[in-house]
Amino acid sequence: MSAADLMAVLFSKYLRYDFAAPEHKANDHLVFSKGHASPLLYALYKAAGAIDDEELLSFREFGSRLQGHPTPEIPWVDVATGSLGQGLPIAVGIATAARLERSPLRVWTLCGDSELAEGSMWEAFEHAGFAGLANLIAIVDVNRLGQRGPTMHEWDTSKLAARAAACDWHVQEIDGHDFDAIDDAYGEALAADRPAVIFARTKKGSGVAAVEDEPGWHGKPLADPEAAIEELGGIREVGVQVEAPPEANPFEIERAAVDRPSYEVGEKVATRGAYGDALAWLGSIDERVVALDGEVGNSTYAERFAAKHPDRFFEMYIAEQQMVASAIGMQTRGWKPFASSFGAFLSRAYDFVRMGAISDADLKLCGSHVGVSIGADGPSQMALEDIASLRAVLGSVILYPSDPNQAVALLDLMRERRGISYMRTTREKTPTIYGPGQEFEIGGSCTVRSSEDDAITLIGAGITLHEALQAADRLGEKGIAARVIDLYSVKPVDAEAILAAAAETQALVTVEDHWIEGGIGDVVAAVLAGNGVVTSLTRLAVTERPGSGPPEALLAAAGIDADHIVAAVEKVLQPSVA
Ligand SMILES: Cc1ncc(C[n+]2csc(CCOP(=O)(O)OP(=O)(O)O)c2C)c(N)n1
């Protein structure tokens, strides 16, 4: 009710949208950053003739697309909102994509005032101002109240205005119930040469005395709805003719030619380097590929993409939430975003990834510098929980290459696959073990060592695969044949290979550069348990806080190097050896 006047003016005069053609490339975008204002959004759809009364009354019912908070199950909704602090950052990504397309569209975002306490909102202000996104308009519904009471600044919009101005936005402060003021403000915002924000002072529950500007009514139905309807002027049919969008502009993307990278067997290359090489190649074969960096492009090697395709490279600086939000915004317009940082720092954007799954987003993530094997930088830089956290995301794919040729092939599979996928890359150089032509698949694995007499199966991926191979050599010298499985697709996992190993060898040993919780060991355990297989499973993983040091020393200290694998195997096989 506080934002109804603001949205009424937007729909009746400024929004350009064809509800019959949500795919129209020049439609404006409207993101409800305050997703809990869904009753307003759905009422606007009704007023615009996009839905009828019957559907509106299915609000929040089981099976209705009009869920408690908007999701893209509704064709006019780009992204799920409802986790506050996300809509504006994602709108920044949409506006970035629109600018890349030289599209005339505008991106409108309705924000709450309490939501402005989220740091991600200020990452968005900073980024949009710096990038000069003149196609972005934020409307802040300053109703002075949040969920449990007053906001920090209540109706004192001057402090918020000063901050937005400092971020280089065009700023206006208005009475959000004065139609002329709203009208003028939208006109001025559209004319601005930079992103525009309108801080509109409003009253929560506007128009109904029993609740107007009263705390305690957030998200609650009115006590006497009939009286409220009377007070608002009685039942009326309110319809609005939303203006049609203009013609969409054709646009062209430059594609520098880059050959598919390939590495010779035996060559030592870090998979993070292969990621950079592969991304540059993907940019040349697919003009929809864009790359986003969190100010570590010279570590993740995303800079190799930037060197070839500067127009499609987006430096997001040290703002991982904004990086993932921009990626999610860009994919709403059909771009294929690859966002990379240290795996450890992607955790800052976890809620955006979680919500991305609700949005059914096509999001490709890469985390470098995983595990203790990064060495000297110490534990603050080590991703040790990334498999666990990203595995838990609905429908996600987790790929963990062990070799550069494999990293190239897997990244191409990530490009082709819609959905949320994550590649885990290693800082250290490791030997190339697969030829450039070898094929891999999402859900696959490679049995890199096996014989008729395999007594034990070693399962690793990334750097630990190489430790497992060394261990297998040493075990071979002791007369113990070890099968070695490269579990490069951690999710979905090759259950068949695990079950075959369980049936054909006496015991399984997993070894991973990740905390013991939620990683490869748990994946293998779940396959065994899910299939009712009881066998010996030893999980080697990181269990204690690491420090700094040479990678070999840290792998040894964590008990995940070749020596510890050999020792674990000897312990497991002891009864049968004896
Ligand atoms: C990240 C996050 N934290 C908490 C909530 C719970 N919540 C829902 S609405 C709300 C208050 C929002 O206030 P404001 O942004 O001012 O919107 P309005 O008062 O206009 O409803 C809160 C805390 C949430 N949805 N998301």
Side-chain angles (χ1 to χ4, degrees):
M1 294 165 82
S2 57
D5 294 339
L6 292 163
M7 290 298 104
V9 177
L10 180 69
F11 267 58
S12 55
K13 186 162 172 192
Y14 290 94
L15 187 74
R16 299 191 306 208
Y17 199 95
D18 184 350
F19 282 91
E23 72 290 349
H24 194 298
K25 280 294 186 186
N27 275 335
D28 281 356
H29 287 255
L30 172 61
V31 180
F32 263 45
S33 197
K34 49 178 289 185
H36 58 280
S38 55
L40 172 59
L41 182 64
Y42 304 158
L44 289 161
Y45 293 155
K46 164 70 173 69
I51 62 170
D52 59 17
D53 273 327
E54 195 190 342
E55 183 169 11
L56 190 56
L57 290 170
S58 73
F59 177 52
R60 291 189 165 204
E61 281 179 4
F62 183 74
S64 170
R65 62 180 175 169
L66 305 188
Q67 297 180 25
H69 296 78
T71 79
E73 249 183 74
I74 301 168
W76 316 292
V77 172
D78 296 304
V79 286
T81 51
S83 179
L84 292 167
Q86 296 212 3
L88 182 64
I90 291 171
V92 169
I94 300 173
T96 305
R99 188 162 73 175
L100 185 60
E101 298 163 32
R102 294 179 189 81
S103 171
L105 70 81
R106 295 83 54 95
V107 186
W108 305 87
T109 318
L110 178 66
C111 309
D113 51 346
S114 202
E115 184 186 22
L116 289 179
E118 285 284 2
S120 56
M121 296 297 270
W122 295 100
E123 287 186 15
F125 271 105
E126 172 86 318
H127 190 85
F130 178 74
L133 295 172
N135 53 358
L136 178 66
I137 301 118
I139 303 156
V140 186
D141 175 15
V142 188
N143 58 27
R144 156 188 111 72
L145 294 169
Q147 175 176 311
R148 53 90 250 169
T151 59
M152 278 194 260
H153 304 294
E154 302 202 40
W155 277 318
D156 181 2
T157 51
S158 65
K159 291 199 177 77
L160 300 169
R163 285 171 204 176
C167 291
D168 278 333
W169 282 55
H170 179 274
V171 183
Q172 299 175 75
E173 297 165 77
I174 63 164
D175 172 350
H177 298 301
D178 176 336
F179 290 109
D180 291 332
I182 300 169
D183 190 354
D184 289 346
Y186 289 163
E188 193 177 314
L190 286 179
D193 63 352
R194 56 193 64 206
V197 58
I198 298 161
F199 292 105
R201 283 180 298 272
T202 60
K203 288 184 177 164
K204 206 155 171 162
S206 170
V208 175
V211 295
E212 191 173 278
D213 192 33
E214 288 291 332
W217 286 101
H218 180 90
K220 290 188 188 142
L222 297 172
D224 188 349
E226 299 307 326
I229 290 168
E230 278 311 303
E231 199 181 337
L232 288 164
I235 291 180
R236 285 163 298 161
E237 270 300 315
V238 181
V240 58
Q241 186 65 44
V242 174
E243 193 182 333
E247 287 289 301
N249 282 347
F251 65 96
E252 280 192 15
I253 291 293
E254 295 220 356
R255 268 196 285 167
V258 179
D259 289 338
R260 179 182 170 128
S262 78
Y263 311 89
E264 302 219 345
V265 172
E267 195 182 341
K268 286 188 94 179
V269 182
T271 52
R272 63 179 170 133
Y275 169 79
D277 295 341
L279 197 56
W281 166 59
L282 294 181
S284 77
I285 62 167
D286 187 339
E287 65 181 22
R288 290 267 138 191
V289 170
V290 292
L292 300 97
D293 166 41
E295 227 266 281
V296 287
N298 53 343
S299 293
T300 60
Y301 288 121
E303 67 178 15
R304 294 180 185 171
F305 180 94
K308 296 290 179 187
H309 316 287
D311 296 350
R312 283 181 282 150
F313 176 77
F314 299 91
E315 183 53 69
M316 307 309 295
Y317 300 91
I318 310 171
E320 293 78 14
Q321 296 187 82
Q322 185 56 56
M323 177 177 74
V324 174
S326 282
I328 290 174
M330 295 190 86
Q331 62 83 41
T332 67
R333 299 195 53 80
W335 295 94
K336 294 183 188 172
F338 286 73
S340 49
S341 182
F342 282 28
F345 307 142
L346 288 178
S347 62
R348 301 185 80 113
Y350 190 66
D351 193 40
F352 283 85
V353 180
R354 179 187 73 86
M355 288 292 290
I358 301 174
S359 293
D360 201 14
D362 188 15
L363 175 65
K364 295 111 174 34
L365 299 170
C366 174
S368 68
H369 292 64
V370 301
V372 301
S373 60
I374 69 162
D377 271 345
S380 67
Q381 317 296 298
M382 298 170 178
L384 283 164
E385 52 289 283
D386 53 323
I387 294 180
S389 60
L390 292 161
R391 248 184 88 208
V393 170
L394 176 71
S396 65
V397 162
I398 312 287
L399 302 172
Y400 185 11
S402 307
D403 140 304
N405 286 324
Q406 190 184 47
V408 173
L410 294 179
L411 204 68
D412 192 24
L413 293 177
M414 276 171 62
R415 175 185 68 84
E416 285 173 354
R417 180 189 178 274
R418 250 202 67 84
I420 296 179
S421 50
Y422 172 61
M423 176 173 283
R424 185 175 212 243
T425 62
T426 300
R427 181 185 185 283
E428 292 305 289
K429 291 182 176 172
T430 50
T432 303
I433 55 174
Y434 301 112
Q438 178 136 354
E439 291 186 7
F440 304 93
E441 55 183 332
I442 292 174
S445 70
C446 288
T447 300
V448 284
R449 187 78 60 88
S450 89
S451 72
E452 300 251 305
D453 336 299
D454 291 342
I456 188 104
T457 302
L458 310 178
I459 302 174
I463 199 152
T464 59
L465 180 77
H466 301 278
E467 298 296 323
L469 283 167
Q470 282 181 38
D473 285 345
R474 273 190 245 159
L475 289 166
E477 287 162 15
K478 295 172 187 244
I480 300 170
R483 178 175 302 186
V484 181
I485 295 178
D486 174 9
L487 208 66
Y488 64 79
S489 179
V490 180
K491 180 187 172 188
V493 73
D494 186 353
E496 221 176 289
I498 294 168
L499 293 173
E504 294 161 17
T505 67
Q506 295 170 41
L508 308 182
V509 177
T510 59
V511 53
E512 61 192 307
D513 198 356
H514 184 276
W515 291 130
I516 195 156
E517 293 88 357
I520 290 174
D522 275 2
V523 169
V524 171
V527 169
L528 297 175
N531 288 278
V533 175
V534 179
T535 189
S536 162
L537 171 64
T538 304
R539 302 184 215 184
L540 304 180
V542 187
T543 55
E544 282 171 23
R545 184 170 55 228
S548 288
E552 316 78 64
L554 288 168
L555 288 169
I560 56 172
D561 65 348
D563 287 347
H564 284 84
I565 300 170
V566 170
V569 171
E570 288 180 329
K571 192 169 162 207
V572 168
L573 294 183
Q574 222 165 21
S576 58
V577 169

